[in-house]
Amino acid sequence: MRRTVAEHQKAVENLLSDAWKALLDANGHNVGTPVPLLEAQGRVLATDLVAAIDLPPFANSQMDGYAIHLDSGKVATVDVAASTSYLVAATIAAGVVPEELAPGTAAPIMTGAMLPPGANAVVPIEKARPDTFAAPGETVELPTTAPGTFVRKQGSDVQQGQTVIAAGTLLNAAHLGLAAALGCTQLPVARKLRVLLLTTGDEVLAPGDLVAAEGLPPGMIYDANAALLRASLADAGLEVVQSYVVRDDPAALLRLLEANVGSVVGPDGRAEPSCELVISVGGISAGAFEVVKQALVDGGPQSDMEFCSVALQPGGPQGLGSFRGVPFLAFPGNPVSAFISVEMFLRPALATLLGTPVPRQRVLATLEHALSSPAGKQQIRRGIYSGPAFESAPSVREVGGQSSHLLGALAKANALITIPAGVTELQAGAKVEVWLL
């Protein structure tokens, strides 16, 4: 029996949730790792950010105009036709600490400048007569207005002591701007979880391998998976600490795992895992040299793995379990299959458990052409999505075909088209769910 995509998604989530229980505890990232402010985007805030100051830190003018004092007890209505003559005081520029405003005077004030003591309203310059800034000692006619008009009160945005960003928040540009306004130079963020990435196959060469110095030897291919998955995992908020190309030798694979999966001494002197996740690519299908299966099915008590088939194309062969207690996800070897595996199984689990990455945006789009799909498998096709424009609905068209080796098509795609397992034919104009990349 094949697993459904939903069943395997839940299996991956449960595996990671159980293995990372301590990390996911409310106090698991109680301190966090301080990073410079501009490096915090896309990271998860480890502790609440509490405002050390008010925002704005002082009452200031919302407009270029005249700062005046109004007796709030005497201004019941505003009559724009009525006006009052004021003696012009010294001009207040931004960054200047002004003197107290004397009764019956109006101070020219610039946007963002500190409101002088005694002032409680601002009249925009365009409503003054004359509508230009007068020199100190001259007079200006200003219409009646209400107290508080065009004044940004101290603390009207954020108050000192207020929690402005909660722990667990995925930090974006607006969060960093707020933190900068509060005077922060760095933020404590949750440490990125570390991944050991393994690409398998006797035919695989890393780009730059000296074996290919005179050209790619016959029967060999360059490793696309390491670069593709490193970038994909980094985008998902993980850190690949080591990446290896492993030959089709089960004993060699076990030795590599034993050397790289275990405890190391952390910065605080305590033992911690060398990695929190192992991902392998290839070696789990039905061939004669499936090195990951061969090594881990009989890997002894340190290995606890299961291999299964998921009703998904591409990406049907899957493996999951643990090695020395560290969660292990085994993906198929074709680059597109491996990429789809990350998108379908790992990213959703990370978003649920860690709060990062942000889930892929899912939209409905009109299919520009007919598509067929094999019965019983959820199909994931690479597509080019065109968003809604004037008088046109969003649409999508397939790029490349359904084969899992079409890496060039993946590079052109900006979306994934999902076709449910029970659908075998779709006509042009049909509505399909699209995941935006």
Side-chain angles (χ1 to χ4, degrees), residues 4-6 9 310-315 340 344 373-381 417-423 433 435:
T4 66
V5 169
Q9 286 174 330
V310 178
L312 175 69
Q313 189 178 36
I340 295 298
M344 297 300 293
S373 179
K377 291 184 179 181
Q378 181 171 335
Q379 279 271 313
I380 307 296
R381 303 286 184 88
I417 305 169
T418 67
I419 306 173
V423 176
E433 183 181 83
W435 293 20

Side-chain angles (χ1 to χ4, degrees), residues 2-23:
R2 285 196 183 102
R3 276 182 178 164
T4 66
V5 169
E7 288 170 342
H8 197 65
Q9 286 174 330
K10 193 62 180 176
V12 170
E13 182 182 322
N14 289 341
L15 170 71
L16 300 181
S17 178
D18 292 343
W20 295 344
K21 190 175 188 312
L23 290 171

Side-chain angles (χ1 to χ4, degrees), residues 273-348:
S274 56
C275 60
E276 285 84 21
L277 177 63
V278 181
I279 294 177
S280 68
V281 183
I284 63 169
S285 193
F289 303 101
E290 305 299 339
V291 63
V292 176
K293 270 187 176 180
Q294 293 171 357
L296 298 181
V297 166
D298 298 318
Q302 60 188 348
S303 173
D304 181 13
M305 293 289 294
E306 63 171 318
F307 298 90
C308 63
S309 177
V310 178
L312 175 69
Q313 189 178 36
Q318 295 288 327
L320 79 168
S322 63
F323 187 87
R324 290 183 171 174
V326 176
F328 193 125
L329 298 179
F331 295 148
N334 276 315
V336 175
S337 298
F339 176 80
I340 295 298
S341 298
V342 172
E343 292 293 320
M344 297 300 293
F345 303 122
L346 181 56
R347 276 185 68 104

